[in-house]
Amino acid sequence: MSRPAARYIWICGTMGCRLPCAVLLLAGGTGRRMRMPLPKQYVRVCGHPVLWYALSAFALHPLVGSVHVVCASEWDALVTKVGLAACGTKFGGTFCAGKTGFASLCNGIDGLSANDLPPDTLVLTHDVVRPLVSQAVISSCIETAAGFGNSVAAWAGNEALLETADGFLAHGCRRREELCGAQTPQAFTLRALTEAVREARELRLPPAQSPVTLMAALGRWPIALSRGEWVNFKLTYPEDFVLMRTLLRGGWKTSSESGRMRGT
C-alpha cells in the first residue's frame, strides 16, 4: 500500500469503521449460462480453481484480517481445502449459500454477525468470479471507505452509451462521464449491512444483486466510488475464460497500474 496501515486504521476509527477488514466472498452461483459441467468458480485455470485467485488476492492484503466464503454445501470441503491453502490462518471458514444470490449474501452477513465480529468491522464483499482483482483495487476500496464510510469499486468505460427500451432500437444517448459500472469489492460496515438486510426482509423488497443495489433500493445514498479496473471483469461467458488464461499466461500482474477509473 502507498501509505502506512496506521493511517487507514486512524481514519476508519474517525468514520466508525474498524480494521482489519473482513472479506465475504460470494461463491454460491451455479453458472448455468456457462453450460459447464461444474460451476465456474471451481473450473481450473492455469493450475488453480477460479476461486483460488480471489482468495489469494485478499489474503495477501495487509489490512484484511479474515476471508470468508459463501458456497453451496456440496462444495464446502473443496472450498475449505482451497481456502486454507490460499489464505492460511486468514481463512475464516464457509457459510451456506441460499437459493438466490441475495439469499447467499444475507446468509453471509448473518454468519459474520454470528461470528461475533464487532458491528463496526469494515466488510468487503466480492464476487469470487471476478478473479483478477488487484491489490490496487482492494487498497482503493479500503481507503475510500475509511474516508467516507462506504465504497464500491467502479469502472468508467470508453464506449458510447445508448438508451433502449427493447434491446433493439436505440432512442437516446447518455453522457458516459455521468455513468460507471459497479464492480466488486464493495465496502460497508457490518452494522450497515446487517441493518440493510433486516430492513429489506421487513419490507419484503425484491432480491438485490449486491450490497450496493441493496443500499440503493433502501435509498441509502450517497455511496463513494473507489478505483475499478477493466481487468476486474466478471466471468460470465466462455470467452471470458479465454481472456483470463491469456492474461495469466502472458504474465499479467494484479498490481498493474492499468485501468484507472477516470478522474482517479
Side-chain angles (χ1 to χ4, degrees):
M1 297 180 65
S2 59
R3 303 184 212 173
R7 167 154 176 89
Y8 294 101
I9 294 171
W10 181 83
I11 296 175
C12 271
T14 65
M15 293 302 300
C17 306
R18 181 188 297 266
L19 292 177
C21 306
V23 174
L24 186 63
L25 295 179
L26 302 178
T30 59
R32 291 190 184 93
R33 282 177 291 186
M34 284 286 191
R35 296 181 180 178
M36 290 181 167
L38 69 166
K40 54 192 174 183
Q41 59 268 36
Y42 305 116
V43 173
R44 295 184 73 85
V45 177
C46 296
H48 298 286
V50 164
L51 76 127
W52 180 88
Y53 292 94
L55 283 163
S56 298
F58 283 99
L60 179 63
H61 200 281
L63 289 181
V64 169
S66 60
V67 183
H68 312 257
V69 182
V70 180
C71 64
S73 57
E74 61 265 31
W75 294 100
D76 184 83
L78 175 63
V79 171
T80 299
K81 179 180 178 180
V82 176
L84 288 170
C87 302
T89 58
K90 286 190 176 183
F91 183 62
T94 64
F95 304 120
C96 187
K99 294 182 178 180
T100 65
F102 180 62
S104 293
L105 173 63
C106 292
N107 288 354
I109 294 168
D110 290 342
L112 291 177
S113 298
N115 276 4
D116 295 326
L117 283 180
D120 55 351
T121 298
L122 191 65
V123 177
L124 272 63
T125 303
H126 184 71
D127 195 331
V128 77
V129 291
R130 292 184 184 271
L132 299 183
V133 60
S134 72
Q135 296 298 292
V137 166
I138 296 170
S139 292
S140 178
C141 188
I142 295 172
E143 177 179 8
T144 304
F148 190 77
N150 60 49
S151 67
V152 53
W155 169 246
N158 55 7
E159 295 89 0
L161 299 174
L162 304 178
E163 296 178 357
T164 176
D166 58 8
F168 178 64
L169 296 176
H171 58 81
C173 185
R174 297 289 299 275
R175 283 173 48 84
R176 64 188 182 203
E177 293 80 7
E178 298 174 351
L179 300 171
C180 60
Q183 298 183 337
T184 61
Q186 300 175 6
F188 299 88
T189 64
L190 181 57
R191 177 185 289 107
L193 290 169
T194 302
E195 291 176 352
V197 166
R198 175 185 53 78
E199 187 172 347
R201 286 168 170 164
E202 290 176 353
L203 296 175
R204 298 184 179 181
L205 295 180
Q209 293 179 327
S210 66
V212 72
T213 57
L214 172 60
M215 297 299 180
L218 294 170
R220 296 187 180 176
W221 301 103
I223 296 171
L225 304 181
S226 60
R227 169 177 174 164
E229 292 177 341
W230 73 267
V231 78
N232 188 27
F233 58 85
K234 184 175 181 179
L235 294 171
T236 307
Y237 304 105
E239 53 266 33
D240 294 330
F241 279 91
V242 176
L243 178 57
M244 180 181 176
R245 289 190 184 95
T246 301
L247 288 167
L248 291 173
R249 289 171 179 169
W252 176 267
K253 304 296 183 183
T254 55
S255 58
S256 170
E257 288 298 312
S258 72
R260 286 187 181 274
M261 182 178 173
R262 248 194 312 293
T264 64

